[in-house]
Amino acid sequence: MILKKISILNYKNIKECSLQLSDKLNCFIGHNGEGKTNFLDAVYYLSFCRSAYNSIDSQIIKHGEDFFVVEGTYESEAGDSIDIYAGMKRGTKKHFKRDKKEYKRLSQHIGLIPLVFISPSDDMIIAGGSEERRHLMDVVISQYDVEYIEALSNYNKLLKQRNSLLKQEAEPDAALMDILEAQMGAEGEKIYRKRNAFIEEFMPVFQEIYTAISGGKEKVSLSYVSHCQRGDLFTVIKQDRFKDRAVGYSLHGVHRDDLEMLLDGYQMKREGSQGQNKTYVLALKLAQFNFLKRTVSHTTPLLLLDDIFDKLDASRVEQIVKLVSGDSYGQIFITDTNKDNLDKILSAGKSEYKLFNVENGEINV
């Protein structure tokens, strides 16, 4: 999929811009806080119906304005033109349209425009809590498996209901709890099977990319940890109902799943240097790209690279440049404060490119 042109109105600090884009490489140069990341986030919004950084749509609207609009014209692998519209006025619900026809459910759109976004905040995949690592799985699987989105949505609604019952003063109705837990078990098992299958296929791709970037200096691994591995999930959830009642929330289920990340057999969180952590996260995200390219109707995802070279030594930067400049990657959006880094990318490849300057929310060629 190729984003041919984009128009933005009142998206964060971007007042207005309309850009014709390169099919291959689009570089955005500017100081921190000028709007480079906000531009990438607008591109992300058109794929996922939400911001990568803020789940409250009204907070995306530029200060002092009453609405925002993001419109993109894409070209599919088959050469078809696809127009996507996203917009919202304060105090109303957002609208999301494909070729002027509004979606009944936003889940119908997810996966149409596969995308991988790599940014400095991805460091939290290693340093943060398990929810960050579950999100890593969810954001990929949701782009190629509608059943997964539905199972995840159903499970989260059931979890919210159960937690509400656990918090109330009166003892919850046992029969109702049994029903909720049985449904949670069924939906949770679906989620577990899909996550497990994903990690098994994903891991060797991730290891291969990490080895390429690091020059084979370290060995990494990734393993999936879930309460489903203890047995039937309904039984696992039900058996600790008394403990859950005491703390007021559900201690067991796929909402507690995690990924164990290892470097040379040791916990990445404790042993990895800044450069190794950055390499690990980059390899994870580039493996996402590789995986989506093979699974989402053989559509090449968009690749968004936001200030990725910080804390990396010259050899690792060189390997990343070689990877993303190759024919395996399609349209790329890359930001940096240092034009030297972008010059390395541009000189490494022979593809067409466009260079944009970003200052105070204004984007110009």
Side-chain angles (χ1 to χ4, degrees):
M1 192 73 75
I2 300 294
L3 178 56
K4 303 292 287 187
K5 61 182 179 179
I6 187 169
S7 297
I8 302 172
L9 286 172
N10 302 328
Y11 193 95
K12 297 187 176 179
N13 79 325
I14 301 174
K15 171 66 177 175
E16 180 178 1
C17 81
S18 184
L19 303 178
Q20 298 284 337
L21 299 164
S22 164
D23 287 2
K24 179 60 181 176
L25 191 57
N26 297 277
C27 303
F28 298 80
I29 185 79
H31 297 301
N32 289 327
E34 299 294 339
K36 303 187 305 298
T37 299
N38 291 341
F39 174 81
L40 295 187
D41 193 47
V43 176
Y44 182 97
Y45 200 103
L46 289 174
S47 283
F48 290 96
C49 312
R50 63 180 296 276
S51 163
Y53 299 103
N54 195 332
S55 60
I56 303 173
D57 291 300
S58 61
Q59 294 180 3
I60 293 166
I61 301 172
K62 190 177 189 298
H63 294 309
E65 302 295 341
D66 295 324
F67 70 95
F68 84 84
V69 171
V70 183
E71 295 181 273
T73 299
Y74 296 82
E75 185 179 285
S76 73
E77 240 80 349
D80 299 321
S81 180
I82 302 171
D83 291 316
I84 302 297
Y85 169 96
M88 179 183 178
K89 292 181 180 180
R90 290 194 190 276
T92 66
K93 72 171 187 175
K94 66 183 169 188
H95 295 277
F96 220 93
K97 302 176 184 178
R98 175 181 175 181
D99 294 330
K100 299 183 179 181
K101 184 176 181 181
E102 187 140 12
Y103 285 102
K104 293 181 180 178
R105 298 189 310 276
L106 294 180
S107 61
Q108 295 174 317
H109 177 72
I110 307 299
L112 176 69
I113 307 162
L115 178 150
V116 173
F117 190 4
I118 306 178
S119 75
S121 64
D122 291 327
D123 291 346
M124 292 303 293
I125 293 172
I126 295 172
S130 60
E131 66 275 9
E132 303 287 345
R133 293 177 285 279
R134 287 192 297 276
H135 181 68
L136 175 75
M137 295 186 282
D138 294 343
V139 77
V140 181
I141 304 171
S142 295
Q143 291 187 72
Y144 66 85
D145 193 330
V146 175
E147 288 183 0
Y148 183 81
I149 300 176
E150 293 173 353
L152 197 59
S153 176
N154 293 338
Y155 180 89
N156 287 334
K157 288 174 185 175
L158 293 163
L159 175 64
K160 187 175 180 180
Q161 287 179 273
R162 186 175 188 268
N163 285 346
S164 179
L165 290 173
L166 291 170
K167 287 183 176 74
Q168 68 183 20
E169 290 186 19
E171 192 65 29
D173 180 81
L176 177 57
M177 290 293 281
D178 281 343
I179 293 170
L180 284 176
E181 289 162 355
Q183 292 175 334
M184 279 180 67
E187 297 294 345
E189 293 278 0
K190 291 179 193 175
I191 294 165
Y192 168 73
R193 287 194 296 271
K194 291 177 183 293
R195 284 177 177 171
N196 193 55
F198 163 67
I199 291 299
E200 285 185 0
E201 190 172 348
F202 179 81
M203 227 252 284
V205 179
F206 158 65
Q207 289 175 318
E208 182 181 345
I209 291 173
Y210 187 96
T211 299
I213 296 174
S214 69
K217 293 178 181 177
E218 308 104 18
K219 291 185 179 180
V220 291
S221 65
L222 188 68
S223 61
Y224 178 33
V225 180
S226 175
H227 289 140
C228 288
Q229 292 156 347
R230 299 183 186 179
D232 175 65
L233 186 58
F234 170 49
T235 304
V236 171
I237 294 172
K238 183 177 180 178
Q239 67 187 7
D240 274 331
R241 189 187 295 174
F242 181 77
K243 288 182 183 178
D244 293 355
R245 180 89 169 104
V247 298
Y249 56 87
S250 303
L251 290 167
H252 294 88
V254 294
H255 62 287
R256 310 281 286 194
D257 285 359
D258 205 348
L259 289 173
E260 186 178 56
M261 299 179 168
L262 301 179
L263 174 75
D264 290 333
Y266 296 97
Q267 289 288 338
M268 192 76 202
K269 185 182 288 191
R270 292 198 297 266
E271 299 294 328
S273 68
Q274 286 186 322
Q276 288 168 331
N277 285 350
K278 186 92 171 183
T279 304
Y280 198 100
V281 170
L282 279 166
L284 284 172
K285 288 306 197 80
L286 293 177
Q288 280 186 9
F289 180 96
N290 186 295
F291 190 90
L292 286 170
K293 186 178 179 180
R294 291 185 288 110
T295 55
V296 186
S297 303
H298 302 290
T299 298
T300 303
L302 306 183
L303 181 61
L304 279 53
L305 306 174
D306 188 21
D307 193 20
I308 65 167
F309 297 114
D310 186 41
K311 300 183 180 68
L312 290 174
D313 60 44
S315 65
R316 296 190 186 217
V317 170
E318 184 181 352
Q319 293 305 319
I320 293 165
V321 168
K322 285 181 180 178
L323 276 173
V324 301
S325 300
D327 295 335
S328 298
Y329 292 86
Q331 190 178 32
I332 300 172
F333 298 80
I334 185 166
T335 73
D336 209 294
T337 57
N338 184 347
K339 192 171 184 297
D340 291 342
N341 287 328
L342 294 182
D343 286 339
K344 289 177 185 176
I345 294 270
L346 299 177
S347 62
K350 298 178 181 178
S351 304
E352 65 159 303
Y353 67 89
K354 284 193 174 182
L355 185 63
F356 300 92
N357 293 299
V358 185
E359 186 175 357
N360 195 28
E362 294 187 3
I363 306 173
N364 298 293
V365 177

